[in-house]
Amino acid sequence: MNTAGRLDVAVVGAGRVGPVLGAALRAAGHRVTGVAARTRRDAERVEALLPDVPWIEPAQAFAADLVLLAVPDDTLGPLVADLAPHVRAGQLVVHTCGLHGLGVLDPAAQRGALPLALHPAMTFTGTSLDLQRLLGAAVAVTSSPVLAPVADALVREWGSTPVVVADADRPLYHAALAHGSNHLVTLVAQALDAARAAVGEDAGRVLRPLLQAALDNALRDGDEALTGPVARGDAGTVATHLRVLAAQDPATAATYAQLAGVAADRAQAAGRLTDTAAKAVRGALTAGEP
C-alpha cells in the first residue's frame, strides 16, 4: 500500500468506464498498478488515460489494495465467482454496475473482501472528457454502514457527489436511469429522422432548444411541464401527426401513439386534461392504429 492513505488500485475492465475512473483515482494520488481485460482491443484509448500502467491478468489485480471491477452488469456475477479465490482479506473490491448492489460481491466478501457498489449516473465516452463530466456527477453508493465513509471518500476523490441507494433499490434505480437516458436517445433519434424529412439538415438546430427546454422543464416540474396537442386535448392534431408519421416511418408512429397514450393518462390523472378531452385523444390514437 502507498503511504499517507494512498492505495494501490487495479482496474478490471478496459471499456469506457474503468480506465476513466482509474485515471480519476490516479489524479487523486492513488497508484494504478494495472489494467486487466480479456482483450486489448481498446489499448490505445486505455493507454491515453493511464499511460505507463501495465496490462495484467485479472487474477493479478488482487495484489492491489483496491480492485475496481468495471464490467457489464451481466458479466459481473460470473467474473466475481471466477476471481473470488484470488481475493485477499481486507482489500476493497468495488464494482461500478448500476443494476447490482452488494450481493453480487458475496463470493469475494466471504473471503474477507470489503465490498462497495459505486455507479456514476452518467454516460461515458471513454476519453479524458469524462474526467470533467465526473465533477459534480451523482454516484449511487451502496455499502455497509462501516464502509460508508470509505465509499464517500472515494466518490469525492472522483470529484463526484455520493447518493446513497439501498441494496434492494438498485434495480429500480438502474431501470429509471436506463429508461430515461437510453430511451430518450431513441426518441430523439426518431424525432430527428422525421424533422430531417421536413426541414433537411437544419433538424438538429430546430430541435435542440425545444428538447433542451423540455428536459429542463420536465426535471423541474414533472407532468406539469407537458405541452402540445395531448395536453390541450387537440385530438385532430394528434390524428394528423399519426397519419404523417406513419407515412414517413411506421415505427416512429407507433412510438408516438404509445407515448401519447401514456401522456394522456398522466395528464388526466394530474387534472391537466378533462375526461372528455382524454377520451377524444385516445379515440384519435385508436383510429390511427394500423
Side-chain angles (χ1 to χ4, degrees):
M1 180 184 294
N2 290 337
T3 59
R6 301 298 86 186
L7 303 173
D8 286 349
V9 177
V11 178
V12 178
R16 296 183 179 186
V17 178
V20 170
L21 298 182
L25 289 171
R26 193 185 207 187
H30 300 289
R31 186 168 76 98
V32 180
T33 58
V35 176
R38 290 176 178 171
T39 71
R40 299 187 184 183
R41 179 183 58 193
D42 299 314
E44 183 176 345
R45 179 165 51 78
V46 172
E47 289 163 8
L49 285 162
L50 294 171
D52 304 320
V53 172
W55 291 83
I56 59 176
E57 294 298 317
Q60 294 176 289
F62 290 85
D65 305 310
L66 187 158
V67 181
L68 185 68
L69 303 176
V71 299
D73 297 274
D74 289 356
T75 303
L76 181 60
L79 178 70
V80 173
D82 184 52
L83 295 178
H86 304 286
V87 168
R88 294 184 298 108
Q91 70 183 161
L92 290 163
V93 177
V94 181
H95 80 71
T96 63
C97 292
L99 178 67
H100 298 292
L102 299 179
V104 73
L105 296 177
D106 278 348
Q110 289 168 5
R111 292 177 177 267
L114 307 177
L116 295 175
L118 307 178
H119 176 256
M122 56 176 273
T123 57
F124 283 79
T125 64
T127 70
S128 59
L129 294 174
D130 296 332
L131 295 173
Q132 290 300 313
R133 297 177 65 205
L134 270 172
L135 302 178
V139 174
V141 173
T142 303
S143 72
S144 66
V146 71
L147 290 178
V150 177
D152 187 273
L154 287 172
V155 170
R156 294 188 187 282
E157 285 185 329
W158 290 341
S160 304
T161 302
V163 176
V164 175
V165 178
D167 201 282
D169 291 334
R170 293 283 290 211
L172 183 59
Y173 153 82
H174 193 239
L177 268 60
H179 183 44
S181 62
N182 303 155
H183 298 162
L184 178 62
V185 171
T186 302
L187 177 63
V188 172
Q190 287 186 334
L192 272 171
D193 287 344
R196 285 194 187 105
V199 302
E201 292 308 309
D202 284 332
R205 187 157 56 88
V206 170
L207 284 173
R208 183 183 299 276
L210 178 67
L211 296 181
Q212 288 179 333
L215 177 60
D216 290 342
N217 293 343
L219 288 172
R220 184 184 64 244
D221 300 326
D223 288 323
E224 289 299 314
L226 183 65
T227 62
V230 171
R232 295 191 297 267
D234 291 345
T237 301
V238 170
T240 299
H241 287 175
L242 279 177
R243 175 175 56 78
V244 296
L245 286 173
Q248 191 266 333
D249 177 28
T252 298
T255 303
Y256 180 104
Q258 184 169 7
L259 290 177
V262 174
D265 291 343
R266 295 182 69 96
Q268 184 181 15
R272 299 277 316 282
L273 197 60
T274 67
D275 293 347
T276 300
K279 183 177 179 181
V281 169
R282 293 191 191 97
L285 294 173
T286 302
E289 291 178 351

